Amino acid sequence: MAIIEVSGLHKAYAGKKAVDGVSFDVEEGEIFGILGPNGAGKTTTVECVEGLRRPDGGSVRVAGYDPVTDRDSVTRILGAQLQESDLQPKITVSEALELYAACYPDPVDWRALAERLGLTDKLRTRFAKLSGGQKQRLSIALALVGKPDIVVLDELTTGLDPRARRDTWRLIQDIRDSGVTVLLVTHFMEEAQRLCDRIALIDKGRITALDTPSGLIGRTAGSTAISFTPSAPLEVQLLAELPSVASVTHKDGRIVVNGTDETVHAVLSLLAGRGISARQLRVTEATLDDAYLDLTGPDA
């Protein structure tokens, strides 16, 4: 069941289109990713979902509510971590949580929430003294304190070191496992591939693809690559004629064949039939990076 419905969304600034006909649904209980290059229209799209921007055209519904005309209803069920936000430098973690909790009629226990997010020992710490990872944890806590059904996380892990980023990924998975629907905006391919159930790829204000991570990867020209050095001369043309081959390159005696899993089996069978060994054999799967490059423009 769709809990977020976006249909034909349009938004322009000073005559320049930022979002140009975007449509997608987010199912209840999933992590839905919005992926794309900087300036693609990702943040404008989610700001329309949050009710922070009024669309120029199209419609947005959050659990059946219009985020603009039914703002109070949407506010009660949707929590948000904005791409750019800050708190007063001297406010402590506990003061921020208590303040935000006071804005809701039935908030969660913010002390328990702080413990869940590893902030208990930082409750008396001022915001300015928190590390980047701790600030991100606090932003998640503030987004969750109102007990939302949906949480929007916009570029949550930008600027974090690899360890802090992976810790944050586990938190996002925990949030979804607790029953909260997650709308995740990111430009990190690994993050989207690891976390998201489905991904909308936005480029230049339009959705260029919408699928599961594996579905997007499967659209690449060669979702699997096999590379090797043949033990004896081999006609490259024979490889190019094998099933599902997308491309064959040959450089300095090493051959790379891009295709599918079926291609890998066909290559190995061809080599075995000719008594040729595949030295330094490597088989690699395509990633979301490969799909992203295939599905976005050259300037992305």
Side-chain angles (χ1 to χ4, degrees):
M1 180 178 178
I3 195 168
I4 298 174
E5 300 169 281
V6 178
S7 179
L9 184 66
H10 288 266
K11 183 66 181 177
Y13 301 107
K16 183 177 180 180
K17 292 180 179 179
V19 178
D20 188 14
V22 164
S23 299
F24 62 88
D25 292 342
V26 178
E27 300 298 320
E28 190 171 358
E30 74 174 334
I31 299 178
F32 186 93
I34 296 182
L35 178 66
N38 292 329
K42 305 187 301 296
T43 293
T44 295
T45 297
V46 297
E47 286 178 343
C48 289
V49 171
E50 295 161 336
L52 299 177
R53 301 279 181 186
R54 183 184 292 271
D56 296 330
S59 66
V60 179
R61 293 293 181 271
V62 177
Y65 298 113
D66 183 317
V68 176
T69 61
D70 304 316
R71 184 172 181 81
D72 288 345
S73 297
V74 171
T75 300
R76 285 195 294 269
I77 62 173
L78 184 146
Q81 170 267 327
L82 305 179
Q83 184 182 50
E84 293 184 9
S85 60
D86 222 338
L87 296 177
Q88 202 275 341
K90 293 185 178 181
I91 194 170
T92 66
V93 170
S94 62
E95 289 170 342
L97 288 167
E98 189 172 8
L99 175 64
Y100 273 60
C103 297
Y104 297 93
D106 183 29
V108 299
D109 180 351
W110 61 262
R111 294 172 183 81
L113 184 61
E115 182 177 359
R116 176 184 171 194
L117 294 172
L119 291 170
T120 300
D121 62 344
K122 298 294 179 181
L123 290 178
R124 296 184 179 181
T125 303
R126 299 186 188 278
F127 182 78
K129 298 295 184 179
L130 297 175
S131 68
Q134 290 161 355
K135 289 179 179 178
Q136 296 293 54
R137 287 173 180 269
L138 177 57
S139 69
I140 294 175
L142 297 177
L144 294 175
V145 74
K147 202 183 296 183
D149 298 319
I150 307 160
V151 64
V152 180
L153 305 175
D154 191 354
E155 304 287 6
L156 181 65
T157 60
T158 297
L160 298 186
D161 61 65
R163 183 178 299 278
R165 182 173 295 127
R166 280 163 177 75
D167 288 343
T168 304
W169 290 349
R170 285 192 288 272
L171 290 175
I172 295 171
Q173 290 171 323
D174 288 345
I175 291 168
R176 190 270 300 277
D177 291 344
S178 70
V180 177
T181 301
V182 179
L183 181 56
L184 176 69
V185 182
T186 184
H187 61 259
F188 289 117
M189 305 301 137
E190 184 184 359
E191 181 168 288
Q193 185 171 347
R194 178 176 298 216
L195 294 177
C196 297
D197 298 299
R198 292 187 299 139
I199 297 169
L201 180 57
I202 296 183
D203 187 27
K204 299 180 177 67
R206 296 182 177 183
I207 291 182
T208 58
L210 197 165
D211 209 334
T212 63
S214 59
L216 292 176
I217 292 169
R219 300 188 193 189
T220 60
S223 58
T224 304
I226 177 171
S227 59
F228 61 94
T229 301
S231 61
L234 177 65
E235 294 181 35
V236 175
Q237 184 58 34
L238 294 174
L239 296 170
E241 295 171 354
L242 292 175
S244 304
V245 171
S247 65
V248 181
T249 58
H250 187 200
K251 183 178 181 180
D252 298 329
R254 189 159 182 82
I255 296 174
V256 179
V257 183
N258 290 289
T260 65
D261 290 343
E262 181 185 3
T263 306
V264 175
H265 295 302
V267 169
L268 296 177
S269 295
L270 175 68
L271 296 177
R274 284 164 173 73
I276 299 174
S277 300
R279 297 171 178 169
Q280 298 176 316
L281 175 68
R282 290 188 61 193
V283 179
T284 57
E285 298 292 329
T287 66
L288 201 56
D289 280 290
D290 301 306
Y292 177 86
L293 293 173
D294 277 357
L295 295 169
T296 57
D299 298 328

